[in-house]
Amino acid sequence: MNAVPQPPPSPDEVPLAIAPVADPLQSLTVLLVEDDPVIRASLALPLAKRVGAVIEAGNGEEGLARFREHRPHVVITDLVMPGLDGLALTRAIKAESPATPVVIATGHSEADALIAAIEIGVDRYVLKPVQVDCLLGVLGPLAYTAALESRQKLAAQVFAASSEAILIADADLTVVDANDAFTRISGYERSEVLGLHVLDLDGAIEGEAFLEALWRTVRDTGHWRGELWSRRKSGELYPEWRSVDVVRDADGRISNYVVAWTDISERKEAEARIQYLAHYDALTDLPNRVLFSDRFEQALIHARRAGETVGVLFTDLDRFKLVNDSLGHKVGDQVLQEASRRLLSCVRAEDTVSRLGGDEFVILLPALRTPQDAGRVAEKVVAALARPFRHKGDDLSISASVGIACFPNDGELADTLLTHADLAMYRAKSVGRNNFQFFSPELESGALSRLSLEHDMRQGLERGEFELLYQPQVDNPTGRLLGVEALIRWHHPERGLLLPRDFIPLAEESGFIVPLSLWVLAEAARQVSVWSGAGLPPVRVSINLCAAQLKQPDFAANFARILAEAGVSGEYFELEFTEQVLMQDGERNLLVLSDLKKLGVGITLDDFGVGYSNLNVLRRLPVDTLKIDRSLVSEVTENKDDAVIVDAIISMAQRMDLKVVAEGVETADQAGFFRDRACQEIQGHFFSKPLAAADLPGYLNNLPGVLAQVAG
């Protein structure tokens, strides 16, 4: 790694440099010990104006106590005092703090005492009567020395406590000191390096030429800053941020070099992690969209020059959402990680498997001979992901739908090829999942058609092109009309009458199902109000809803508002959900359904009896009604197995005090079958096709004749 030199710092950035001392008296704390209060006051008042602080004591004992309490910079004491005199006080102070200066005030007649004071370490003396100016002249040098010593002490403390490794060398680059951080970072003990040449210790791996240039820069400019790789005593390499500065004496000659550095391993690791996360998926460690796009562009550039084929496989896991919703995101993440490993096992080293997000993966296959090579990889992908995923001893069945697009046949640009592979993937899903499909131009025209239909849907809702029809649900065997199921139709201005299967899947995929469902609820509530105002008997309306409505945080509140605006009760409504919808996010759904029940709304479990039926749903959720799937009803009089299943459903529902509705009754035999089994409600074309709202009163008048056919 190349070192990164930096501009030299300003002079105040040089480590360990001691700034010029300002008026040193201003930071000085003085202890004044004088037994004569008049003399003490005459000295204390003017001193207080020039020094930082003056502490007074009236005798030697008090002076020693004040010294221990305040630790002043300088002590001024009278020599002759009763009790603990100046000599005894000085001896006690020097015993505790030899570096603290002591100034003795003495008279001419005390020469012997003065000599004794000098012998015990008194630093200065002044003659009595003491003149303030004279005293300040004595204190000035002492204050300056104290300030320098304080700063040097601070510098030494910083040197010792610094988290940076610091080496100090003399003018010949011989090491004269090293701090504790140097030992911690380099692995060398201080005693090992004292007296050695700095270059003999330099673990930088950039080479002799680089180091010579570094030190030449230091000598010429006085500074160097940079990032480089160094080696510890153990031989371990590590990145460091280094600064080198010179210290000059009063004549401007170099007296010392200061080398300081920091181990930046953690910072470099963090930077590498950030760089990694910018290009790789954190969950699967696969390249993300950014890195995939870069590799895709490079593959296309090479393919154009070499005349090769580049394949891109858009892969989506089938039924992954069900795993996530039913078993939780932790299990879902484990499935994604295992799917990633399986995808990697299907490709070459030069191929790229990327996770775009969610359960979508894309595979880049550069340097192919023919598009069929991509198909062979897709075949391996489908087979690999069709194998069961193990979770706590159970098998999870999750297959994959794969779409293939190839350069140059299916597009010249990366975005175009990805879009075409995505369309082919949706084609694979539409023909049954667990397969792969190649892109064809017809898929693109179909996608444009879907976009157009989505736009028309949104416009159609504003223009009033949607209509609700109502299919009667009658009591069996009395024939009394119990309710109707609201069925949506779309009168498209160009395509004619469209049934739900023609647009509901697109509405769910695009999110338009939410405003469309709110319109259905509002229109049904309005119609119930109209029928009630026309004198019709109470009619309960069943409305089929999907997962998107339950996921709306304010769904129950919105429905309550719709009911209030129409002036009708929630008891007129039965909301139908499939078992799969209710199983998704069951705890939250329970709260939403409970709020709906508070409005008086009934809850129906739709399409019951086919696929995977979880009886726990019936026990935990507030379900009122089971609606037998029409696939069972259509064969109930001809298929004994279907008849047994239907009998079991009706018997179970009766034991659980649940209503049962048979949906899709088309013949008199089917109607009779359910009448014989006391199935409370039946619905189907045998009784009536879906009716316009205005036709319901006429149907009520003709209902007795229809029931007579059933009785016959």
Side-chain angles (χ1 to χ4, degrees):
M1 178 178 183
N2 292 330
V4 184
Q6 300 293 317
S10 58
D12 59 349
E13 295 178 325
V14 178
L16 303 181
I18 300 175
V21 179
D23 182 1
L25 291 174
Q26 294 297 317
S27 59
L28 198 67
T29 300
V30 176
L31 172 60
L32 177 61
V33 185
E34 171 60 59
D35 60 330
D36 188 325
V38 175
I39 297 175
R40 187 170 68 248
S42 67
L43 294 175
L45 289 174
L47 278 178
K49 297 178 180 179
R50 293 295 306 277
V51 301
V54 176
I55 303 166
E56 299 180 43
N59 54 58
E61 289 80 0
E62 184 182 0
L64 184 59
R66 291 293 182 92
F67 173 80
R68 290 169 175 169
E69 179 183 359
H70 297 284
R71 291 293 175 177
H73 296 108
V74 178
V75 177
I76 303 172
T77 180
D78 188 10
L79 183 60
V80 179
M81 292 184 294
L84 191 69
D85 64 11
L87 290 178
L89 175 62
T90 301
R91 191 176 292 108
I93 290 174
K94 289 294 185 177
E96 295 184 16
S97 178
T100 301
V102 177
V103 178
I104 290 287
T106 183
H108 291 290
S109 62
E110 299 168 344
D112 293 340
L114 181 60
I115 293 172
I118 293 174
E119 290 177 349
I120 64 175
V122 169
D123 296 84
R124 297 284 191 278
Y125 72 90
V126 292
L127 297 175
K128 290 185 175 181
V130 178
Q131 301 296 318
V132 173
D133 290 341
C134 177
L135 186 58
L136 289 174
V138 171
L139 291 178
L142 294 178
Y144 186 82
T145 301
L148 286 179
E149 290 177 351
S150 176
R151 290 172 181 269
Q152 289 171 345
K153 182 179 179 182
L154 177 61
Q157 291 173 336
V158 171
F159 175 75
S162 175
S163 60
E164 289 187 332
I166 301 176
L167 275 180
I168 299 178
D170 61 16
D172 297 323
L173 291 179
T174 300
V175 176
V176 297
D177 206 353
N179 68 351
D180 292 341
F182 165 80
T183 297
R184 187 181 68 253
I185 294 176
S186 71
Y188 289 97
E189 294 295 332
R190 179 176 179 274
S191 59
E192 294 181 80
V193 301
L194 296 181
L196 297 181
H197 197 277
V198 168
L199 292 180
D200 294 334
L201 290 171
D202 200 326
I205 65 172
E206 277 71 15
E208 290 185 8
F210 170 81
L211 291 177
E212 290 176 1
L214 184 158
W215 285 102
R216 186 165 53 251
T217 300
V218 172
R219 285 190 291 270
D220 293 343
T221 67
H223 316 283
W224 187 89
R225 301 283 187 276
E227 179 183 307
L228 45 76
W229 281 87
S230 191
R231 196 182 299 276
R232 307 186 205 276
K233 180 182 178 181
S234 64
E236 176 192 357
L237 285 173
Y238 70 99
E240 69 178 39
W241 178 262
R242 180 183 296 189
S243 64
V244 184
D245 297 281
V246 299
V247 178
R248 299 183 184 274
D249 60 20
D251 298 325
R253 293 188 297 270
I254 295 177
S255 60
N256 293 96
Y257 293 91
V258 179
V259 185
W261 68 93
T262 303
D263 182 347
I264 58 173
S265 299
E266 291 184 0
R267 192 190 82 189
K268 301 298 288 186
E269 290 171 2
E271 290 174 354
R273 180 61 178 167
I274 292 172
Q275 182 71 8
Y276 180 85
L277 292 176
H279 294 92
Y280 288 86
D281 176 57
L283 176 64
T284 63
D285 288 327
L286 294 177
N288 62 11
R289 186 185 294 270
V290 174
L291 182 55
F292 176 83
S293 298
D294 180 69
R295 292 184 180 179
F296 201 175
E297 293 292 349
Q298 296 302 316
L300 291 178
I301 291 172
H302 183 271
R304 292 187 187 103
R305 289 198 302 261
E308 296 173 338
T309 295
V310 176
V312 58
L313 277 56
F314 205 110
T315 304
D316 186 87
L317 301 184
D318 302 325
R319 294 180 295 276
F320 174 75
K321 188 176 185 301
L322 179 60
V323 171
N324 236 7
D325 292 341
S326 57
L327 298 179
H329 291 284
K330 183 177 180 180
V331 176
D333 289 347
Q334 293 171 354
V335 169
L336 291 174
Q337 291 169 336
E338 175 61 21
S340 301
R341 289 188 285 268
R342 295 187 188 184
L343 289 173
L344 288 171
S345 71
C346 298
V347 301
R348 305 165 297 178
E350 61 266 32
D351 300 331
T352 297
V353 178
S354 171
R355 180 181 177 224
L356 297 186
D359 60 345
E360 291 183 339
F361 298 84
V362 63
I363 302 174
L364 176 65
L365 305 173
L368 299 179
R369 293 188 300 275
T370 67
Q372 285 67 38
D373 293 337
R376 283 186 280 273
V377 175
E379 188 174 2
K380 293 198 303 185
V381 167
V382 170
L385 295 179
R387 299 197 309 269
F389 290 76
R390 299 288 294 173
H391 172 63
K392 293 184 178 179
D394 296 326
D395 288 341
L396 303 178
S397 296
I398 301 174
S399 57
S401 298
V402 182
I404 305 173
C406 293
F407 168 88
N409 296 349
D410 301 325
E412 293 281 340
L413 302 177
D415 287 345
T416 302
L417 290 165
L418 269 179
T419 299
H420 288 173
D422 191 19
L423 291 174
M425 183 272 293
Y426 276 106
R427 172 63 178 167
K429 282 191 176 295
S430 68
V431 297
R433 297 184 171 88
N434 194 31
N435 71 98
F436 66 90
Q437 297 289 322
F438 283 92
F439 171 77
S440 65
E442 292 77 14
L443 295 179
E444 189 170 24
S445 62
L448 293 174
S449 176
R450 287 166 62 86
L451 287 174
S452 175
L453 189 63
E454 181 183 344
H455 176 267
D456 291 348
M457 256 196 310
R458 298 180 186 277
Q459 295 294 319
L461 188 59
E462 296 176 2
R463 293 194 294 256
E465 295 172 1
F466 289 93
E467 177 190 16
L468 288 185
L469 300 183
Y470 300 90
Q471 186 168 41
Q473 297 172 333
V474 300
D475 180 64
N476 188 20
T478 67
R480 181 170 59 89
L481 180 69
L482 297 176
V484 294
E485 180 177 3
L487 303 170
I488 192 170
R489 299 291 186 265
W490 181 10
H491 297 279
H492 193 282
E494 297 175 0
R495 307 188 188 198
L497 181 66
L498 298 182
L499 299 178
R501 64 172 178 265
D502 299 321
F503 60 90
I504 290 297
L506 180 59
E508 292 181 347
E509 180 184 326
S510 65
F512 184 66
I513 192 68
V514 173
L516 186 61
S517 297
L518 289 176
W519 176 85
V520 170
L521 293 170
E523 175 61 18
R526 185 195 66 81
Q527 189 57 58
V528 168
S529 179
V530 170
W531 285 330
S532 178
L536 266 67
V539 178
R540 187 191 65 221
V541 179
S542 297
I543 301 173
N544 200 299
L545 298 175
C546 66
Q549 287 80 28
L550 280 179
K551 290 181 179 179
Q552 297 303 305
D554 51 358
F555 173 62
N558 282 336
F559 192 37
R561 175 183 52 79
I562 288 172
L563 295 175
E565 291 175 354
V568 296
S569 169
E571 296 175 353
Y572 287 103
F573 292 90
E574 190 95 10
L575 300 184
E576 301 182 0
F577 302 94
T578 64
E579 182 178 5
Q580 182 176 346
V581 168
L582 294 184
M583 285 178 63
Q584 299 175 11
D585 199 2
E587 294 302 323
R588 184 185 178 283
N589 288 344
L590 179 60
L591 296 176
V592 177
L593 296 181
S594 297
D595 289 340
L596 292 172
K597 294 288 290 183
K598 293 175 183 177
L599 300 175
V601 176
I603 305 299
T604 295
L605 191 58
D606 198 14
D607 298 339
F608 191 79
V610 295
Y612 175 74
S613 293
N614 187 349
L615 299 182
N616 191 45
V617 173
L618 298 180
R619 183 179 63 83
R620 294 182 63 250
L621 298 178
V623 175
D624 303 294
T625 304
L626 299 183
K627 180 173 278 192
I628 302 175
D629 187 73
R630 62 175 61 248
S631 65
L632 292 174
V633 174
S634 64
E635 300 289 333
V636 73
T637 58
E638 301 176 6
N639 188 313
K640 292 182 179 180
D641 291 339
D642 287 353
V644 170
I645 293 173
V646 169
D647 281 338
I649 292 173
I650 295 174
S651 176
M652 177 190 66
Q654 289 173 345
R655 290 177 179 272
M656 298 181 70
D657 199 24
L658 298 174
K659 294 185 296 183
V660 180
V661 177
E663 180 183 22
V665 176
E666 308 288 341
T667 68
D669 288 344
Q670 293 169 359
F673 176 91
F674 287 102
R675 178 198 60 201
D676 295 341
R677 284 155 178 79
C679 179
Q680 295 97 324
E681 298 184 31
I682 45 182
Q683 169 188 345
H685 284 191
F686 176 72
F687 294 97
S688 173
K689 294 181 178 180
L691 304 172
D695 296 333
L696 189 64
Y699 170 79
L700 290 175
N701 294 331
N702 297 328
L703 187 58
V706 175
L707 292 170
Q709 299 179 40
V710 179

